[in-house]
Amino acid sequence: MQHIDTILKNGTIVTMDKSYALIEDGAIAIQHDTIIAVNTTRKIIKHYSADNEVDCTSLTIIPGLVNAHTHIPMTLLRGLADDLRLDVWLLGYMMPVEREYVTPEFVELGTLLGCAEMIQSGVTTFADMYYFEECVAAATASAGMRGVCGQTILKFPAPDAESFEAGLARCRSFLEQWHDHPLIIPAVAPHAPYTTTDDLLKSAVKLAQEFDVPLHIHLSETAEEVENSLDEHGVRVIPYVDSIKLFKAKTIAAHCVHIDAREVGTLAAKRVGVAHNPTSNLKLASGIAPVTEMLKAGISVGIGTDGAASNNDLDMFEETRLAALLAKTESDDPTSLPARQALEMATILGAKALHIDHLTGSIEAGKRADLAFLDLNRHHVLPHFNRVSEAVYSRIVYAAKSTDVLHVMCNGQWLMRDRELLTIDTDHLHRQAQQMAADIDTFLKAREEDILSKLLAIGELQQEESFEVQVKARLSDPAVVHHLLERPDVTIAKKSHYRQHDTYLSFEDSDYRLRYREDDYISADNRLTNVRSRLTLTESGKEREFENAVVLSRSRYIAQATRPLRFYREYLQAAEEHTIVKDRERWHVDYQGLRLYINLDKLRSPSSDGYFIELKSRTWSLRDAEQKATVISRLLSYLGIAPSELIRSDYFDITN
Amino acid sequence: MQHIDTILKNGTIVTMDKSYALIEDGAIAIQHDTIIAVNTTRKIIKHYSADNEVDCTSLTIIPGLVNAHTHIPMTLLRGLADDLRLDVWLLGYMMPVEREYVTPEFVELGTLLGCAEMIQSGVTTFADMYYFEECVAAATASAGMRGVCGQTILKFPAPDAESFEAGLARCRSFLEQWHDHPLIIPAVAPHAPYTTTDDLLKSAVKLAQEFDVPLHIHLSETAEEVENSLDEHGVRVIPYVDSIKLFKAKTIAAHCVHIDAREVGTLAAKRVGVAHNPTSNLKLASGIAPVTEMLKAGISVGIGTDGAASNNDLDMFEETRLAALLAKTESDDPTSLPARQALEMATILGAKALHIDHLTGSIEAGKRADLAFLDLNRHHVLPHFNRVSEAVYSRIVYAAKSTDVLHVMCNGQWLMRDRELLTIDTDHLHRQAQQMAADIDTFLKAREEDILSKLLAIGELQQEESFEVQVKARLSDPAVVHHLLERPDVTIAKKSHYRQHDTYLSFEDSDYRLRYREDDYISADNRLTNVRSRLTLTESGKEREFENAVVLSRSRYIAQATRPLRFYREYLQAAEEHTIVKDRERWHVDYQGLRLYINLDKLRSPSSDGYFIELKSRTWSLRDAEQKATVISRLLSYLGIAPSELIRSDYFDITN
C-alpha cells in the first residue's frame, strides 16, 4: 500500500485517453502535481492510501478543458463595442482604447478576471497572445492555471514595444524569464502575416526554435486576408508563411477559416496545431472554418474562445457545443463532429494543438492532474440514457453548462471547490474591473462628444490651417469658361478631368458634415481610373461671405481617406447620407500673380440642366482672403455671370 | 396612495416596450396577475404601497423569455440518440420509442421536466406541439407557466389518435376544455404539410378559426421538403399552404429555413409568426434560416429551442445568442441582428409570433406580470460599460447565461426565488425521469441485440417463409444458356435484363449480412431505368448443401427498401461495405412442372472474366427443396458444366 497525496474516488471518469476509456466507479491517484494511476475505485484504494480522499460520488470527472486561443486581458474590454464590422470594432474601438489603457496593471487585472471565469467553466489550460505577456504569465501562475503565454510581436508600435526590434527583444527576455516554469509555457506570438514582415516572422521562428517553445499566430481569419496575400505575395496565406519556413516552429495557428484543400494538407504535413474559434468567427462574420476536413486530414484542431471582446465570454462549454453544431451545417452532414470528437477537441486535441499533450488534455498516469468535476444530475441534463457509451459525451457537449462544473484542479492544486474560487480574490477583482470600465467609458464619451474628435481619435484627420476663398455660379453655356481661359492674362498651369462621387454624411445633433470624395480620373478616351479618396469635414455656420457671394470657408479638415466609405458611415453612425456625382473639368490657372482653380462641373446624379462653375483659391490669412476675393470678383465679371446665377450654398444644399 | 399586491423596486428594468425604454432605478407595480405601472422607484413608491415590496437592487429585470417552438414532453428523450441524420434519428429512434412510450403519464412527466428547466432559464411562455396535449396543458398550468399548447394532428396513426378524424376530434375537445384558461392558450397543430393532407389542413384552419386560437405547424424545415413540395404540388411550401388558405388562421410557422424572397413576402403579408430554431437547424444540418431578411420584411420572428431531443436543452439564452451570431454569418454582415434585436426576438417578437403580445413579451402596464430577474454582476458578465444604452442588451445576449436568472415570476406568481423552484417537486421528478430513461434503455437494448430485430423495429423487414434452392457456376461461353433455353422441354415465361447494384453491409459481432439491391432495368436500346430497391438479410451458417453444390438457403428476410442505402448504413452502423455491380439477364422458365429462374450474370465491378449462371427455385418445405435440387442438378448436366466450375459461395465471397 503506497501512501500518496490525493485519491479522487467513486466518480465517473471520462479519460479522453487513446481508447476513450470510461471508468464507471473510478478513482484517480495523485502525487504532488501528477496523476500516478487511473482505475476503478476498488483497485485504486487497494493499492493506495492518501492524506486526502475525496468522494466524487455522482460526479463526472473530465480532463480540464483547453482554451486554445484567447487574448485574456481583453476580458476587461468585454461588451465595450459589439455588433460592429471588424475594422470599425478594431480601429475605432479596440486599438484606441488599447493605446490608451494597456499597461502592466491592466494586463494583470484582465488576466485575473479571465482566469476567474475560465476556472469557473472548467478550463485549466489556455493559449494566450497579448502585450506585457510577463504580466499575463505572472497572474496566470498566481491563479494556478496552465498557460501557453504568447508575447505579441508587431511591425507597428505596440503598447509594450516601440518597434519590431524592441518587441523581439522583449519577447526574448520574456522567454528567458519564464522558461521552465511548472505552469507557464512562454511562446513567441507574431500577431499575423499582415501585421508583420518576412524578417519579423523569420526572427520569430528562430527565437521559438532557440527556446523550443510554441509560436502562436493568427492565420487566414478572413477572406480579405487571403485576397491581400494573393495580391501581395501571389499565393494564399498558408503557402506564403510556409515559404518563409514558419512551420519549422511548433506552430499554433488561430482561426484558419479560409483555407483550401491544399492548405489543409500543408497544415497536416507540417504538424501545425489549429485553434478553431467558432463564436468569434460567427460574430465578426469571418466565416465558418472547414473543421471536419481538417480533422479528417489528421490535424490537431483545438477550440478557442478568442478574446472576450469578440465573443463575449470565455465559456468553453458554449464554444465546444457551437463547434459541434456548426460543423454539421458546414459539412451538410449531421453525423459530422459527433459529441465525443467535440470533447476531444476541447481536451486532448487542444493540448496537441498547443504542443503540450505530454502535460495535459487527458486523464492518464504520468500527466499533470488537470481536472474538471461536473454535476450532470441537474434538470437540463436529465434524464441519462446509457444504451451506448457515447451518451456521456452527448450529455457533456450538448446539454451540460459551464455552471455544472463543481470543482476544478490544475497541476494537482484545487482552484475551485463547490464553485468557490480558491486562488482569486473576486470581490477586489470586480471592483477594480468596474473602475477600469468606468475610466474607459469616460475616455470614450469625451472622444465621442463630436464628430471631429471621433475622427481625430483614430488618427484619420489633420486640421488644415489654410482657408479657402470660392465663388460658385450656374452656367448655361460652358463656352464662356473657354473664353476666359483664352484671355492672354490667364495662364493654364494644369488641366484635369474627373468624375467625382461625393457622399455627404450628416449626423444627429451635430453641425459637422463629412464629405467622402472619390475622384475617378477621366482619360482622353473616356476611361475611368480611381485616383484617390478624400475626407473633408466642414462645420456649418463657419463661413464668411464677401461681396458677389465670394465665400471664405474656415475650419476645414481634410485628409486622405484610408478606409472605405462604409467604415466612416458605421464608425460615425451617420444619420443621413446623400451622394452627388459630377464630372469636373479643372484648370489650375495663374492670373495677376495668383494661383486659382477653375472647376467646370456637370452634375450627373442627381441630374441637373446646365453647368456650374467654381472659382477658388487657397489662402492663409484673412487679409490675403480679402485680396483674393477681389481678384475672383473681377474674373466673375469677365464671365458675364448675372448675380442671380451666383450660388451661396454648396452642392449638398443645392441638390437637397 | 393605492395599496396593491406587489412592488418590485430598485432594479434595472429592460422593458422591451416600443421605445425600448430602460429604467435605471426602476420599479414595477403588480396587482393580481397584471402589471399596473412601470416607472422609477421614486415615482412608484410615491403612488403605491404593497403587501410585498421586493428589493431588486443590483438585479436586471427583463420580460420573461418566450420559447416560440418546442415539443416539451420530448425533454424526456434528451440525449437518447445524437449526431444522426434526420431520418435515422426520427425513424430509427424517436418514432419507435414514441410509439412504445408516449402515454399521458410520459407527457406529464416530460412537461414538468421541461418546465423546470425553462423556469430556471428565465422562460415564462412557450409554444408546444405534441400528443396528449391536454396533459401538457395541465402540467404547464400546475407549474405556473404560460403555454400555447398545440394538439398535433397527423394523417398517420399517432400515439393519441388512431386516425386523422380521431385526431381532429381530440383536438376539438382539447380546445373546448382549455379555452379561456388564464395560462393556457390551446392551439391546433397540424404537424407539417408533408405529414398531413389538404383536407386535414383545411379542417385544422376551420377549427382554429372557430375557437380563435393559433395554428402551430412546421414549414420549410429542410431542402428536401421544398423539393418534395415542388414535385408533388408544383410549388414551394409557402405558396402551397397559402393556396389552401392556411394563413387564414393565426399561424405559428416553425423553422422556415428554406424560403425564398417571395415566400418571405407572403409570410409578412399574411402576418404569419415565425419560430426560428437555430440549434436544431444546425444540429440536424437543415440549414440556416434567412432571419435578417425576415426581420427586414417586418415578420415577427421569435426564437425556439425545438425539442430537447434535437437540441439538447431548452436554454433560451444559448438560443438567442446563437440566433444573433448565426445571422451575422448568414448575411455576411457583423452588424446584422444586434443584441437588442436578438433580445426582442426572445421576448416581444416571440409573443407576437405566438399571437399573444397583448398578454406578454414586454414590461408594460396592462400586460401580465411575466418577468425574469438577472444577476449580471458575475465574472463572466463583468465589467459593465455604459457608454451606450445598447450595452445592457449586449451583456444579456452575448455574455449572460441562463444560470444568471435568479428569480422568475409568471402571471404575477413567483415560480423561482434564488434559483429554487417553487411549483415543481424536482427530487420526485428526477427519479421518475431516470426510471423512464432506464425503461427505454432496456427496450432499445433488447431491440438492438441483433440486426434482424433492429430492422424489424422500424417495420422495414418481414420474415419471408419461403426457402430458396440454388446453384451457381462460372461459365466461359454464354451460348450454352441459350442452347438450354431452346430445348423443347423448357418454356420461357418471362425474360428481363437488369443492371444490379448490390451493396453488402457487414456488422461487427454479427453473422448477419444485409444486401441492398438496386435493380436498373436495361431496355432494348440500352437505357437504364431504376425499377426498385430491395433489402435481403442473410445469416451465414444457415445454408444446407445438396449434391452438386445445390444450396438451400433458409431464414432469408426480404423487403422493399423504403429508404436510401445511407439510412441502413447509418442506422445499423455497418462495419464494412462492399458493392458489386453486374448485368443480369433473367429468364423465368417452366421445366418439368417446376418454375425456375435462370440468371446469366456478367460482373462489371469488380470486373471479372467470363459469366456466371444461377439456377434457382423458391420452395416452402425441405422435401420440396430436395426434389427441386434434383431437377436443378439435371439441368446443370445439360449445360455441361464441370464440377470444378460450381461455386458454393455467393458474389460477396467470390469478390472479397
Side-chain angles (χ1 to χ4, degrees):
Chain A
M1 173 88 58
Q2 189 184 338
H3 194 75
I4 58 173
D5 290 340
T6 306
I7 294 176
L8 311 167
K9 62 184 185 181
N10 307 325
T12 298
I13 305 178
V14 178
T15 65
M16 300 313 286
D17 68 7
K18 281 200 185 74
S19 66
Y20 306 102
L22 294 171
I23 307 173
E24 270 309 324
D25 181 0
I28 302 172
I30 297 167
Q31 177 71 328
H32 186 45
D33 57 358
T34 301
I35 297 169
I36 56 170
V38 185
N39 217 308
T40 57
T41 301
R42 198 182 52 79
K43 282 201 181 167
I44 292 289
I45 58 176
K46 205 166 152 188
H47 287 85
Y48 300 97
S49 64
D51 295 336
N52 304 300
E53 294 205 3
V54 182
D55 183 21
C56 300
T57 299
S58 89
L59 294 183
T60 302
I61 310 176
I62 64 172
L65 301 176
V66 177
N67 183 350
H69 177 66
T70 188
H71 309 281
I72 191 170
M74 293 182 90
T75 311
L76 267 184
L77 302 180
R78 183 202 323 271
L80 172 68
D82 289 300
D83 300 317
L84 300 174
R85 217 173 292 261
L86 182 61
D87 54 3
V88 176
W89 177 78
L90 192 67
L91 302 172
Y93 292 91
M94 293 303 132
M95 284 172 50
V97 168
E98 286 184 333
R99 264 198 298 273
E100 195 75 18
Y101 284 93
V102 172
T103 60
E105 295 70 35
F106 175 100
V107 166
E108 192 197 328
L109 180 59
T111 301
L112 286 177
L113 188 66
C115 285
E117 181 180 355
M118 284 202 270
I119 294 168
Q120 283 210 319
S121 52
V123 175
T124 53
T125 296
F126 66 93
D128 190 64
M129 175 197 288
Y130 209 62
Y131 311 108
F132 299 108
E133 198 67 26
E134 70 282 4
C135 303
V136 173
T140 302
S142 82
M145 289 186 78
R146 197 176 300 288
V148 176
C149 297
Q151 166 65 42
T152 301
I153 318 176
L154 284 172
K155 68 179 173 189
F156 317 115
D160 62 352
E162 293 268 304
S163 65
F164 141 43
E165 291 77 10
L168 204 68
R170 172 164 240 300
C171 188
R172 169 177 290 277
S173 81
F174 171 62
L175 299 180
E176 281 163 356
Q177 188 188 348
W178 287 91
H179 206 51
D180 274 333
H181 188 276
L183 285 169
I184 303 303
I185 297 95
V188 183
H191 173 268
Y194 60 90
T195 48
T196 57
T197 63
D198 281 21
D199 265 5
L200 192 159
L201 289 177
K202 284 176 189 164
S203 307
V205 171
K206 252 172 81 179
L207 199 57
Q209 286 182 305
E210 180 184 339
F211 285 86
D212 190 28
V213 294
L215 181 150
H216 192 169
I217 188 168
H218 297 101
L219 291 181
S220 277
E221 181 171 359
T222 63
E224 193 190 1
E225 183 185 342
V226 176
E227 276 167 38
N228 292 345
S229 177
L230 283 166
D231 281 353
E232 196 175 337
H233 308 295
V235 289
R236 297 170 65 91
V237 177
I238 304 299
Y240 161 60
V241 295
D242 190 30
S243 75
I244 58 170
K245 312 283 182 221
L246 187 78
F247 301 140
K248 292 231 165 193
K250 299 188 289 191
T251 309
I252 306 164
H255 300 296
C256 297
V257 176
H258 297 276
I259 53 173
D260 63 19
R262 185 186 295 248
E263 290 176 290
V264 169
T266 304
L267 295 174
K270 301 294 170 84
R271 304 192 162 280
V272 174
V274 170
H276 172 47
N277 303 272
T279 297
S280 171
N281 294 339
L282 284 184
K283 188 150 181 274
L284 297 170
S286 305
I288 304 178
V291 170
T292 308
E293 207 185 324
M294 286 194 269
L295 290 169
K296 259 189 204 141
I299 297 174
S300 296
V301 186
I303 298 175
T305 58
D306 211 346
S310 67
N311 184 306
N312 297 358
D313 58 36
L314 305 174
D315 187 329
M316 279 291 291
F317 278 78
E318 284 181 2
E319 213 65 41
T320 304
R321 177 179 154 96
L322 182 55
L325 294 175
L326 213 50
K328 299 175 200 318
T329 287
E330 193 270 331
S331 64
D332 198 20
D333 179 358
T335 68
S336 278
L337 198 32
R340 190 178 77 184
Q341 197 176 23
L343 187 62
E344 210 177 345
M345 290 174 73
T347 55
I348 183 66
L349 276 185
K352 282 183 183 165
L354 270 45
H355 307 278
I356 55 166
D357 52 307
H358 56 294
L359 296 177
T360 192
S362 60
I363 304 179
E364 289 180 88
K367 290 213 182 178
R368 300 291 188 276
D370 293 357
L371 306 165
F373 301 71
L374 317 183
D375 176 2
L376 300 180
N377 299 297
R378 297 170 176 187
H379 314 310
H380 58 269
V381 193
L382 289 176
H384 293 187
F385 290 96
N386 291 307
R387 184 176 50 89
V388 289
S389 60
E390 267 65 29
V392 68
Y393 302 106
S394 157
R395 222 168 278 152
I396 296 167
V397 171
Y398 294 128
K401 301 180 198 304
S402 57
T403 47
D404 298 332
V405 178
L406 220 57
H407 321 307
V408 170
M409 175 184 273
C410 182
N411 212 45
Q413 183 193 6
W414 290 108
L415 306 188
M416 181 171 80
R417 292 297 290 273
D418 295 311
R419 293 202 64 71
E420 196 192 329
L421 292 173
L422 304 175
T423 53
I424 298 174
D425 172 1
T426 55
D427 286 350
H428 181 59
L429 188 62
H430 289 190
R431 273 195 307 278
Q432 281 186 298
Q434 210 36 60
Q435 184 54 53
M436 179 66 77
D439 288 353
I440 294 174
D441 268 342
T442 308
F443 163 72
L444 282 177
K445 271 186 193 150
R447 151 194 126 156
E448 298 199 347
E449 251 173 19
D450 64 42
I451 299 299
L452 174 60
S453 58
K454 212 172 164 184
L455 276 170
L456 291 173
I458 55 168
E460 283 292 298
L461 222 54
Q462 307 257 330
Q463 178 147 14
E464 188 171 83
E465 296 295 331
S466 68
F467 297 6
E468 221 176 50
V469 187
Q470 77 160 56
V471 68
K472 176 185 279 167
R474 284 191 187 276
L475 206 63
S476 46
D477 179 12
V480 298
V481 177
H482 295 285
H483 297 152
L484 181 70
L485 291 167
E486 278 160 20
R487 284 177 61 94
D489 51 355
V490 170
T491 312
I492 300 175
K494 194 176 163 194
K495 153 92 205 279
S496 46
H497 193 184
Y498 293 101
R499 178 156 306 158
Q500 296 183 322
H501 300 257
D502 289 345
T503 302
Y504 294 86
L505 302 179
S506 319
F507 310 95
E508 257 173 44
D509 306 323
S510 171
D511 291 332
Y512 280 108
R513 188 187 294 148
L514 185 70
R515 186 183 71 194
Y516 181 95
R517 166 171 291 175
E518 185 193 312
D519 277 324
D520 291 342
Y521 175 72
I522 304 177
S523 66
D525 58 346
N526 246 345
R527 280 180 306 122
L528 297 180
T529 327
N530 181 229
V531 183
R532 58 182 177 181
S533 301
R534 276 177 305 159
L535 293 176
T536 307
L537 187 70
T538 53
E539 201 178 354
S540 69
K542 296 277 177 164
E543 290 85 23
R544 174 163 172 180
E545 198 176 326
F546 298 87
E547 59 174 330
N548 278 342
V550 174
V551 168
L552 172 70
S553 60
R554 299 154 60 204
S555 310
R556 282 168 48 114
Y557 295 79
I558 196 160
Q560 290 295 319
T562 56
R563 302 257 117 211
L565 170 62
R566 178 199 49 72
F567 174 86
Y568 301 103
R569 177 195 301 140
E570 293 179 3
Y571 173 58
L572 301 171
Q573 297 183 280
E576 277 188 69
E577 190 170 327
H578 186 72
T579 298
I580 295 164
V581 184
K582 60 178 180 293
D583 284 354
R584 163 168 290 181
E585 286 185 280
R586 166 169 247 212
W587 294 268
H588 296 205
V589 302
D590 294 315
Y591 173 71
Q592 297 192 341
L594 288 186
R595 167 61 57 95
L596 292 160
Y597 306 93
I598 302 179
N599 298 330
L600 178 62
D601 294 342
K602 169 86 185 141
L603 281 191
R604 298 181 65 94
S605 163
S607 69
S608 164
D609 284 343
Y611 291 79
F612 293 87
I613 185 170
E614 282 185 351
L615 300 175
K616 289 191 181 196
S617 186
R618 295 234 173 86
T619 181
W620 287 264
S621 76
L622 191 58
R623 173 180 295 186
D624 179 60
E626 280 170 2
Q627 288 172 352
K628 286 180 174 163
T630 313
V631 176
I632 286 176
S633 293
R634 199 174 307 143
L635 274 176
L636 262 185
S637 68
Y638 296 150
L639 287 164
I641 293 169
S644 67
E645 300 294 303
L646 292 178
I647 295 166
R648 277 157 193 82
S649 7
D650 65 16
Y651 286 116
F652 176 84
D653 298 303
I654 298 169
T655 59
N656 243 342
Chain B
M1 172 89 58
Q2 189 183 339
H3 194 75
I4 57 173
D5 289 341
T6 305
I7 293 175
L8 310 167
K9 62 183 186 182
N10 307 326
T12 298
I13 306 178
V14 179
T15 65
M16 301 312 287
D17 68 7
K18 280 200 188 73
S19 66
Y20 307 103
L22 293 172
I23 307 173
E24 268 311 323
D25 181 1
I28 303 173
I30 296 167
Q31 177 72 324
H32 187 44
D33 57 359
T34 301
I35 296 169
I36 55 171
V38 185
N39 217 309
T40 57
T41 301
R42 198 180 53 78
K43 281 199 182 168
I44 293 289
I45 58 176
K46 204 166 154 188
H47 287 85
Y48 301 97
S49 63
D51 294 337
N52 304 300
E53 294 205 2
V54 182
D55 182 21
C56 300
T57 299
S58 88
L59 294 182
T60 302
I61 310 176
I62 63 172
L65 300 177
V66 177
N67 183 349
H69 177 66
T70 187
H71 310 282
I72 190 169
M74 293 183 89
T75 312
L76 268 183
L77 303 180
R78 184 202 324 270
L80 173 67
D82 289 300
D83 300 317
L84 300 173
R85 217 174 292 260
L86 183 61
D87 54 3
V88 176
W89 177 79
L90 193 66
L91 303 170
Y93 290 91
M94 292 303 132
M95 284 172 51
V97 168
E98 287 185 330
R99 265 197 299 274
E100 196 74 20
Y101 284 93
V102 171
T103 61
E105 294 70 35
F106 175 100
V107 167
E108 192 197 329
L109 181 58
T111 301
L112 286 177
L113 187 65
C115 285
E117 183 181 352
M118 283 201 275
I119 293 169
Q120 283 209 319
S121 52
V123 175
T124 53
T125 296
F126 65 94
D128 190 63
M129 176 196 289
Y130 208 63
Y131 312 109
F132 299 110
E133 197 68 25
E134 70 282 6
C135 303
V136 173
T140 301
S142 82
M145 288 185 79
R146 195 176 302 287
V148 176
C149 297
Q151 166 65 41
T152 302
I153 319 175
L154 282 173
K155 68 180 171 187
F156 317 116
D160 62 351
E162 294 267 302
S163 64
F164 142 42
E165 289 79 9
L168 204 66
R170 171 163 239 300
C171 189
R172 169 177 290 278
S173 81
F174 171 63
L175 298 181
E176 282 163 354
Q177 189 188 344
W178 287 91
H179 205 51
D180 274 335
H181 189 278
L183 285 168
I184 304 302
I185 297 95
V188 184
H191 173 268
Y194 60 92
T195 49
T196 57
T197 63
D198 280 21
D199 266 6
L200 193 158
L201 288 177
K202 284 175 188 163
S203 307
V205 170
K206 252 173 83 179
L207 199 57
Q209 286 183 305
E210 182 184 338
F211 285 86
D212 191 26
V213 294
L215 182 150
H216 192 169
I217 188 167
H218 297 102
L219 291 181
S220 277
E221 181 172 1
T222 64
E224 193 189 1
E225 183 185 342
V226 176
E227 276 166 39
N228 292 344
S229 178
L230 283 165
D231 281 353
E232 197 175 336
H233 308 295
V235 288
R236 298 170 65 93
V237 176
I238 303 301
Y240 161 61
V241 296
D242 190 30
S243 74
I244 58 172
K245 314 277 183 226
L246 187 80
F247 301 140
K248 292 230 164 193
K250 299 188 290 193
T251 309
I252 306 164
H255 300 298
C256 297
V257 175
H258 297 276
I259 53 172
D260 63 18
R262 186 186 296 246
E263 290 176 291
V264 169
T266 304
L267 295 174
K270 300 296 169 81
R271 303 193 162 276
V272 174
V274 170
H276 172 47
N277 301 271
T279 297
S280 172
N281 295 339
L282 284 184
K283 186 148 181 276
L284 298 169
S286 305
I288 304 178
V291 171
T292 307
E293 207 184 323
M294 286 194 269
L295 290 169
K296 258 189 206 144
I299 298 173
S300 296
V301 186
I303 299 175
T305 58
D306 211 346
S310 66
N311 185 306
N312 295 354
D313 58 38
L314 306 174
D315 187 330
M316 280 291 290
F317 278 78
E318 284 181 3
E319 213 65 43
T320 304
R321 176 179 154 95
L322 182 55
L325 294 175
L326 213 50
K328 300 175 199 318
T329 285
E330 194 269 332
S331 64
D332 197 19
D333 179 358
T335 68
S336 277
L337 198 34
R340 189 178 78 184
Q341 198 176 21
L343 187 63
E344 209 177 348
M345 290 175 74
T347 55
I348 185 66
L349 276 185
K352 282 183 184 166
L354 270 43
H355 307 276
I356 55 167
D357 51 306
H358 56 294
L359 295 176
T360 192
S362 59
I363 304 179
E364 289 179 88
K367 290 215 182 177
R368 301 292 188 274
D370 294 358
L371 305 166
F373 301 70
L374 317 184
D375 176 3
L376 299 180
N377 298 297
R378 296 170 176 187
H379 313 312
H380 57 271
V381 193
L382 289 176
H384 294 187
F385 289 95
N386 291 307
R387 184 177 50 92
V388 289
S389 61
E390 268 63 29
V392 69
Y393 302 106
S394 158
R395 223 168 278 153
I396 295 168
V397 170
Y398 295 128
K401 301 178 198 306
S402 58
T403 47
D404 298 331
V405 178
L406 219 58
H407 322 308
V408 170
M409 175 182 275
C410 182
N411 212 47
Q413 185 192 4
W414 289 106
L415 307 187
M416 181 170 81
R417 291 297 290 270
D418 294 313
R419 292 202 64 72
E420 195 191 333
L421 293 172
L422 304 175
T423 54
I424 298 175
D425 172 2
T426 55
D427 286 350
H428 182 60
L429 187 65
H430 289 190
R431 275 195 305 278
Q432 282 185 299
Q434 209 37 59
Q435 185 55 52
M436 179 66 77
D439 290 353
I440 293 174
D441 268 341
T442 307
F443 163 72
L444 283 178
K445 270 185 193 150
R447 150 194 127 155
E448 299 201 344
E449 250 172 18
D450 64 40
I451 299 298
L452 174 59
S453 57
K454 210 171 163 184
L455 276 169
L456 291 171
I458 54 167
E460 283 291 299
L461 221 55
Q462 307 257 328
Q463 178 146 14
E464 186 170 84
E465 296 296 330
S466 69
F467 296 7
E468 222 175 49
V469 188
Q470 75 158 56
V471 69
K472 174 184 279 163
R474 285 191 185 278
L475 206 64
S476 46
D477 178 11
V480 299
V481 177
H482 295 284
H483 298 152
L484 180 71
L485 292 166
E486 277 157 20
R487 286 175 61 92
D489 52 355
V490 171
T491 311
I492 299 174
K494 192 177 163 193
K495 154 90 205 281
S496 46
H497 193 184
Y498 292 103
R499 178 156 306 158
Q500 297 183 322
H501 300 257
D502 289 347
T503 302
Y504 294 87
L505 302 180
S506 318
F507 310 96
E508 257 173 46
D509 306 323
S510 172
D511 291 332
Y512 281 108
R513 188 186 294 146
L514 185 71
R515 188 184 69 197
Y516 181 95
R517 166 169 292 174
E518 184 192 313
D519 279 324
D520 290 342
Y521 176 73
I522 305 178
S523 66
D525 58 346
N526 247 343
R527 278 181 306 121
L528 297 180
T529 327
N530 179 229
V531 182
R532 58 183 176 181
S533 300
R534 275 177 307 159
L535 292 177
T536 307
L537 186 70
T538 54
E539 201 177 354
S540 70
K542 295 277 179 165
E543 291 82 23
R544 175 162 170 181
E545 196 176 329
F546 299 88
E547 56 173 335
N548 278 343
V550 174
V551 168
L552 172 70
S553 60
R554 300 152 60 202
S555 310
R556 283 168 48 110
Y557 296 79
I558 197 160
Q560 291 294 321
T562 55
R563 301 256 119 210
L565 170 62
R566 178 198 49 72
F567 174 86
Y568 301 103
R569 177 196 301 141
E570 292 179 3
Y571 174 56
L572 300 171
Q573 296 184 281
E576 278 189 64
E577 190 169 328
H578 187 71
T579 298
I580 294 164
V581 183
K582 59 179 181 290
D583 283 356
R584 165 167 289 183
E585 286 186 280
R586 167 170 245 209
W587 294 269
H588 297 204
V589 303
D590 294 315
Y591 173 71
Q592 296 189 342
L594 288 186
R595 168 60 58 95
L596 291 161
Y597 306 92
I598 302 178
N599 297 329
L600 177 63
D601 294 342
K602 170 84 184 143
L603 282 190
R604 298 181 63 94
S605 163
S607 69
S608 163
D609 284 343
Y611 291 79
F612 293 87
I613 185 170
E614 282 186 349
L615 301 174
K616 289 192 180 194
S617 187
R618 295 239 171 82
T619 182
W620 286 264
S621 77
L622 192 56
R623 173 179 295 186
D624 179 60
E626 280 170 0
Q627 289 173 353
K628 287 182 174 162
T630 313
V631 176
I632 285 175
S633 292
R634 198 174 308 143
L635 275 176
L636 261 188
S637 68
Y638 297 149
L639 288 165
I641 290 171
S644 68
E645 301 293 305
L646 292 178
I647 293 167
R648 277 156 192 84
S649 3
D650 65 14
Y651 288 116
F652 176 82
D653 298 303
I654 298 170
T655 58
N656 244 341

